[in-house]
Amino acid sequence: MYKRMARRLIAEFARQFPGATLSDRAWRRQLAAWLSKISRERDWARAYWRLCRSALVGAARQDMGAAEADWMLNEINEADRALYAIHGPHRRWSAKRGKAREVHPHDLRRIVAQLEGSQSIYAALASRWLKANMHVGLRPSEWDRAELDLGSRTLLVHNAKHTNGRAHGEARTVHLADLPQADWEEIARFSADLDSLRHAHAFTAVYDGARTALRRARKALTRQGAKIGSVSLYSTRHQFTADLRASGRTPAEIAALLGHATTDTQREHYGRRAKGRAGRKAAADSADLARVRTVEHPSAALARKRAASQDRPAATARDGKLA
């Protein structure tokens, strides 16, 4: 998807600017400005603008290396900040409306009880998956290659978005030594159950089975009159993020635990602090934390520049250089 998107954007840019040579930084800077300009003209949602940005940065990484990809990312962000001061923020994307971005404790208890009342092995797995992932926040697909070390109580996770440049590295380590014993046992039990099923079935089949069991449980509860949101396995990742925020974790720590390359992904797309519950104990690895790039929110950058511009005349006046 990212490669096709990058090719389409570059082809459109080349039609508008014949003779453009993207090996030249001046033209790549122009491409960054062009992307921000058309995103406003066409009223793109911020999420779609981010997809296009990731596509172009990924193409730069593949063709020219990591250093040029980082340079391209910075240029696109700077171009967008310049337009933010004039036009304000991008609109938010409503495509995910209806998908739960939180897991309320009451909903979780009812769903788990419904799943545990089923005879399906996938229902039992889905129940444990929900409870375990509340503590670690993996993308569901990342459990395919996740490695739980029972001795050191760490979870090695192979980042799902590494190949397109949206992860801080190939893998991340989640430290679980400070978790309460009951929470640790939920993770260990789920990991063991998942490993057992994967000996007989492909991960995709196991994942589909768990999702189907969860969907049936939600429908059964709805028929019983319960007001259950569209809670999915991915919803636990959103709740994990919200809980980390409520626990006072820094944006860089949250990004490291989620596997994100920059701090703005979780800020824009993941669970809100108001929906979180303090007390999450998972800890990021220092090496992962060091690879996370801090991206200042456009509104914060604009406020800082305005404050600096207001301070300068005042300082000059105090020096007696203004009438």
Side-chain angles (χ1 to χ4, degrees):
M1 181 184 76
Y2 287 96
K3 289 181 180 179
R4 289 197 303 272
M5 182 177 285
R7 285 197 297 266
R8 178 177 59 77
L9 289 168
I10 292 170
E12 184 178 351
F13 176 75
R15 287 194 297 270
Q16 292 190 26
F17 299 91
T21 306
L22 294 183
S23 59
D24 185 339
R25 274 192 171 185
W27 277 113
R28 294 206 302 280
R29 183 176 287 112
Q30 181 69 20
L31 173 62
W34 172 81
L35 178 68
S36 294
K37 180 174 179 289
I38 65 169
S39 73
R40 304 295 178 152
E41 291 175 348
R42 300 174 187 179
D43 194 29
W44 287 356
R46 181 165 180 81
Y48 185 71
W49 170 80
R50 285 173 53 81
L51 286 174
C52 293
R53 181 186 66 176
S54 296
L56 292 177
V57 171
R61 186 180 304 276
Q62 182 176 5
D63 296 340
M64 292 172 281
E68 290 302 308
D70 291 343
W71 181 88
M72 190 68 187
L73 175 64
N74 183 67
E75 287 297 316
I76 295 174
N77 288 337
E78 286 298 321
D80 187 64
R81 289 190 185 103
L83 290 183
Y84 183 97
I86 302 170
H87 302 288
H90 293 270
R91 66 178 175 85
R92 289 194 175 274
W93 203 356
S94 60
K96 293 186 178 180
R97 189 177 298 161
K99 294 185 178 181
R101 299 179 71 178
E102 63 173 306
V103 185
H104 192 278
H106 179 68
D107 290 347
L108 180 62
R109 286 193 295 271
R110 298 196 68 169
I111 292 171
V112 165
Q114 183 71 30
L115 288 166
E116 290 178 347
S118 170
Q119 298 300 313
S120 167
I121 58 172
Y122 291 120
L125 182 72
S127 169
R128 289 175 179 167
W129 201 325
L130 285 169
K131 292 186 289 185
N133 212 49
M134 292 284 285
H135 307 303
V136 291
L138 273 63
R139 299 176 180 89
S141 62
E142 289 177 333
W143 279 104
D144 184 21
R145 300 172 60 202
E147 303 171 29
L148 186 66
D149 190 319
L150 300 178
S152 63
R153 292 201 172 188
T154 57
L155 182 64
L156 178 65
V157 185
H158 295 271
N159 291 322
K161 299 295 182 72
H162 169 64
T163 55
N164 59 38
R166 295 177 65 184
H168 56 58
E170 291 186 14
R172 65 186 185 274
T173 301
V174 182
H175 294 271
L176 305 170
D178 293 336
L179 262 67
Q181 184 63 23
D183 296 348
W184 163 252
E185 289 175 356
E186 285 181 344
I187 298 169
R189 189 180 304 115
F190 165 67
S191 179
D193 288 351
L194 181 61
D195 286 344
S196 177
L197 281 173
R198 281 190 302 181
H199 285 312
H201 308 282
F203 176 81
T204 52
V206 174
Y207 180 26
D208 287 343
R211 286 195 299 178
T212 300
L214 177 55
R215 184 170 60 252
R216 289 173 176 170
R218 290 199 315 265
K219 288 183 176 180
L221 288 168
T222 301
R223 288 195 297 269
Q224 296 168 21
K227 294 183 178 180
I228 298 293
S230 299
V231 174
S232 65
L233 295 175
Y234 205 101
S235 299
T236 58
R237 181 169 166 85
H238 283 285
Q239 188 61 55
F240 175 71
T241 308
D243 292 349
L244 290 176
R245 288 199 176 107
S247 302
R249 302 299 184 86
T250 66
E253 287 179 297
I254 297 172
L257 284 165
L258 295 178
H260 294 157
T262 63
T263 55
D264 60 341
T265 302
Q266 52 85 19
R267 181 176 60 215
E268 294 289 337
H269 300 288
Y270 282 81
R272 305 303 177 199
R273 181 189 181 99
K275 303 294 185 181
R277 295 175 288 279
R280 287 287 166 230
K281 300 295 185 181
D285 190 80
S286 58
D288 297 338
L289 194 58
R291 290 194 295 268
V292 172
R293 298 191 299 276
T294 299
V295 177
E296 189 175 34
H297 193 278
S299 62
L302 180 60
R304 178 171 49 77
K305 289 179 180 179
R306 284 176 175 170
S309 66
Q310 290 171 0
D311 288 344
R312 279 195 293 271
T316 306
R318 286 194 297 270
D319 292 341
K321 295 181 181 179
L322 287 180

